[in-house]
Amino acid sequence: VFDHIEFDEHEHVAFCHDKGTGLKAIIAVHNSHLGPALGGCRMWPYANSDEALNDVLRLSKGMTYKAAMANLNQGGGKAVIIGDPRAHKTPEMMLAMGRFVESLSGKYISAEDSGMSVADLRTMAQETTYISGTKANYHFAGEEADGNPAPSTAYGVFTGVKASVEHYFGTGLQGKKVAIQGLGHVGYRLAEHLHREGAELFVADIYPEGINRAKEKLNAKIVSPDEILKLDVDVVAPCAMGATINRQSISTLKAKVIAGAANNQLETEDLGEILKGEGILYAPDYVINAGGIIDIYHQKMLSSNEALKSHLEKIGATLKEVYKRADEQNLATNRVANTIAEEKFKK
Ligand code: NAI
């Protein structure tokens, strides 16, 4: 999300090496003005510790902005474990990571991220109470809740797509053409919500399972991954990896709205101005995809289904606030989101 990160912006950065288990990890607390720093723990085969440090600094900063925009009493933090999750992860290493989290006495609360499963978090939780996302006491959207926040993320993105379409077209989703890039945990569920509201779906993935199911059950049209962002549709929803919105993809984009789940959708922040210049409405990624962190927060608070749902539905209202200010001040939506978040957490 951010082009430049200063190390000294962060409140606390802790390095851990546990010789017995081979754990090498970094926890970064970016800002805790609004509450303890909440953010996932990622395990990734970083080439070196500089790469891991850069990632954890960037990701933890992003979490501060995300939590502030989601109106959570939480700050931003993140943890990274250096290693290949398939080759290097052991239960003993997860226990050591739990002790490392515990050593910060609640300044940082950990959750799931790439390379880590709910089962890993449960192992960490044997050594620390500062974990969320291991169980949920609600059954959201008819699904058995096991701690995985993807159903909430998808519902939040859906409310965000709806708000963006209302803002841009002044209509609902009925008959709107939406192209979804990536039909994984979030993308497929988003497709279900959109289908229910009468949207016409175009879907792409590099694996056949999700797109075939969407074709059969949701009447979606399958498109090749190379074509999905070039379609003549109303909305594109990036729900795969980051940086798919770049100078090249913008030059062939026909959609009027970009609203999807992926983190770090813009390759660089200045693309916000380019999108604005092209008359394309961009839903800032960390605003529209905050459903995951909202879910993790409500798991921690042992909230009801209704409390979670109404919080997720506020994502649409927050986006409308961003769009309104962007229009009034003639600014790019990503810049306006950053300013609003800073107003909240720098108070
Ligand atoms: P996932 O891994 O379940 O799904 C991603 C899908 O994208 C996979 O099906 C994959 O095959 C597909 N894909 C990969 N490369 C592609 C390409 N070039 N073209 C088309 N499809 C491609 O991940 P998940 O959980 O659905 O997350 C999707 C995005 O949303 C990620 O960027 C993630 O960081 C972000 N996100 C997810 C949250 C969650 O609660 N799961 C929360 C907030 C953000």
Side-chain angles (χ1 to χ4, degrees):
V1 186
F2 306 98
D3 295 339
H4 305 288
I5 308 278
E6 300 293 336
F7 194 107
D8 57 10
E9 266 183 44
H10 288 69
E11 284 176 15
H12 194 103
V13 181
F15 291 73
C16 170
H17 177 217
D18 183 69
K19 199 170 181 192
T21 61
L23 173 71
K24 286 193 175 72
I26 312 173
I27 294 176
V29 172
H30 176 257
N31 186 290
S32 60
H33 287 182
L34 297 175
L38 180 62
C41 175
R42 172 173 293 192
M43 184 161 182
W44 192 256
Y46 295 103
N48 51 51
S49 49
D50 272 4
E51 206 182 84
L53 177 64
N54 195 41
D55 208 30
V56 78
L57 292 179
R58 190 177 57 85
L59 291 166
S60 56
K61 180 172 177 177
M63 291 310 296
T64 298
Y65 285 69
K66 188 181 283 201
M69 286 305 268
N71 296 310
L72 295 172
N73 299 323
Q74 301 286 162
K78 206 85 183 184
V80 295
I81 299 175
I82 301 172
D84 180 343
R86 286 167 196 250
H88 303 137
K89 197 194 290 168
T90 60
E92 292 72 27
M93 184 186 276
M94 295 299 104
L95 292 170
M97 188 64 198
R99 290 192 291 276
F100 182 32
V101 171
E102 182 67 20
S103 74
L104 297 191
S105 309
K107 253 188 214 161
Y108 165 68
I109 299 165
S110 200
E112 204 186 335
D113 204 281
S114 318
M116 295 286 284
S117 66
V118 171
D120 296 327
L121 286 180
R122 290 190 180 135
T123 309
M124 281 168 65
Q126 291 174 35
E127 298 283 354
T128 180
T129 52
Y130 304 117
I131 297 272
S132 190
T134 52
K135 63 178 186 320
N137 61 336
Y138 41 72
H139 296 260
F140 189 65
E143 291 198 47
E144 191 68 36
D146 64 353
N148 171 10
S152 294
T153 304
Y155 188 69
V157 173
F158 164 66
T159 68
V161 172
K162 210 164 147 180
S164 304
V165 165
E166 278 167 15
H167 180 83
Y168 193 93
F169 297 102
T171 68
L173 286 164
Q174 180 68 40
K176 284 282 170 292
K177 294 181 176 170
V178 183
I180 307 179
Q181 180 188 41
L183 281 209
H185 291 102
V186 178
Y188 188 83
R189 290 174 170 98
L190 171 64
E192 288 179 315
H193 290 302
L194 293 169
H195 176 69
R196 225 172 281 129
E197 290 273 313
E200 190 183 338
L201 300 177
F202 300 81
V203 297
D205 201 294
I206 50 172
Y207 294 107
E209 195 188 88
I211 47 178
N212 285 340
R213 193 152 42 112
K215 181 180 175 194
E216 194 186 311
K217 301 212 157 141
L218 312 175
N219 200 23
K221 293 184 187 63
I222 297 177
V223 180
S224 88
D226 292 341
E227 295 301 314
I228 191 79
L229 294 182
K230 300 178 187 162
L231 297 182
D232 192 2
V233 292
D234 300 300
V235 181
V236 293
C239 296
M241 61 292 187
T244 53
I245 306 300
N246 48 47
R247 280 187 164 68
Q248 201 194 335
S249 61
I250 292 174
S251 70
T252 53
L253 202 67
K254 297 195 189 71
K256 292 294 171 205
V257 174
I258 302 173
N263 278 311
N264 304 319
Q265 289 172 34
L266 303 185
E267 193 174 56
T268 52
E269 288 274 292
D270 61 339
L271 295 174
E273 278 80 26
I274 295 183
L275 290 171
K276 178 177 168 297
E278 298 281 331
I280 296 166
L281 183 68
Y282 169 64
D285 46 13
Y286 65 81
V287 182
I288 191 169
N289 73 14
I293 197 74
I294 292 172
D295 184 299
I296 299 286
Y297 172 80
H298 282 282
Q299 287 189 42
K300 190 163 72 75
M301 303 303 284
L302 305 176
S303 303
S304 66
N305 222 356
E306 292 68 37
L308 169 68
K309 191 161 183 260
S310 83
H311 201 152
L312 293 171
E313 286 170 356
K314 294 206 173 80
I315 288 176
T318 305
L319 280 171
K320 284 188 174 173
E321 186 192 332
V322 170
Y323 298 153
K324 185 165 170 275
R325 221 204 263 195
D327 287 347
E328 283 166 2
Q329 301 181 348
N330 196 24
L331 291 171
T333 55
N334 56 321
R335 308 287 188 187
V336 170
N338 290 352
T339 305
I340 297 178
E342 285 163 9
E343 285 164 7
K344 289 174 192 271
F345 76 76
K346 285 188 176 166
K347 248 192 268 180

